[in-house]
Amino acid sequence: MKTICVFCGSSIGKDPEFEIQATQLGAKLAAFGIALVYGGSKIGLMGAVAKGCADNGGKVIGVIPHFLDQVEITNLDADELYQTKSMHERKMKMSQLSEGFIALPGGFGTMDELCEILTWAQLGLVKHPIGLLNINGYFDHLIALFRHMNTNQLLKDQDLKLLLYDDNIDGLLQKMKDFTPEKNSFLDKLDLL
């Protein structure tokens, strides 16, 4: 993977470990020569992951909608910065630039990005690894929900396996490195790709 997109909150959150781990993830990406693709903000966990990457010599690629740029939260120090017309266009651009995806703690926006990229993977539109960095159990309830969906036969086993997770940066990155997409998506079965 040459680029990883990180979805995360525009706030720091309650647990100090969120910011610490976001900064460490950015530093780790820089150490491995992996460019960071992210939401383009200089605040919250987004700002922390970008700072961790940049401070350690990594490449930072920001993608921010024009209306958010207007409120002066844009990270103007990013190596590359793309402005989009909408949130949907932002997700499309981040996907096009990325060879892997990681979600850190966040709110509705982070969940939207994560669930959309998982849906694209389920349909076979994305073939890259998708992971959760489960800092201090932040995603335990979400993981339980996805398992509940699977138990109730609303999420197939193969689709549940699309989401990788670990509570450790190195463990998650290794799982992502080892990930091999299965050719059994909905669209593959329809021979549309």
Side-chain angles (χ1 to χ4, degrees), residues 9-84:
S10 59
S11 298
I12 291 295
K14 178 180 174 181
D15 187 337
E17 196 63 25
F18 297 163
E19 184 178 14
I20 292 167
Q21 291 292 313
T23 304
Q24 288 178 358
L25 175 61
K28 190 72 71 168
L29 295 180
F32 288 140
I34 300 170
L36 167 68
V37 176
Y38 85 117
S41 175
K42 64 184 178 185
I43 62 172
L45 296 180
M46 283 196 275
V49 73
K51 185 173 184 342
C53 187
D55 286 354
N56 289 278
K59 183 174 182 179
V60 175
I61 303 168
V63 184
I64 193 162
H66 179 70
F67 72 90
L68 286 179
D69 183 53
Q70 298 299 306
V71 296
E72 300 180 351
I73 62 168
T74 303
N75 179 3
L76 299 176
D77 294 325
D79 296 293
E80 293 179 27
L81 187 62
Y82 297 90
Q83 278 194 357
T84 63

Side-chain angles (χ1 to χ4, degrees), residues 135-193:
I135 302 168
N136 285 346
Y138 183 79
F139 289 113
D140 285 353
H141 295 290
L142 183 65
I143 293 165
L145 173 62
F146 289 159
R147 288 179 179 156
H148 181 69
M149 292 161 69
N150 176 254
T151 299
N152 282 277
Q153 299 179 357
L154 293 168
L155 185 65
K156 295 179 181 172
D157 292 344
Q158 69 199 34
D159 297 328
L160 185 61
K161 292 177 188 174
L162 291 171
L163 183 63
L164 310 170
Y165 50 91
D166 205 296
D167 59 2
N168 176 279
I169 294 169
D170 290 326
L172 180 59
L173 291 174
Q174 187 61 52
K175 288 177 182 178
M176 293 176 71
K177 182 180 175 186
D178 294 342
F179 175 79
T180 303
E182 295 182 28
K183 186 173 174 148
N184 59 358
S185 72
F186 174 74
L187 293 180
D188 288 334
K189 290 176 182 173
L190 293 177
D191 292 324
L192 295 177
L193 290 180

Side-chain angles (χ1 to χ4, degrees), residues 100-121:
F101 304 87
I102 294 175
L104 298 179
F108 285 153
T110 302
M111 293 304 100
D112 170 57
E113 292 164 336
L114 173 65
C115 289
E116 184 146 5
I117 207 70
L118 282 168
T119 301
W120 293 353

Side-chain angles (χ1 to χ4, degrees), residues 65 84-93 116 120:
T84 63
K85 294 177 183 175
S86 67
M87 295 292 279
H88 183 71
E89 187 181 324
R90 177 201 221 179
K91 289 182 283 187
M92 289 290 296
K93 186 65 175 176
E116 184 146 5
W120 293 353

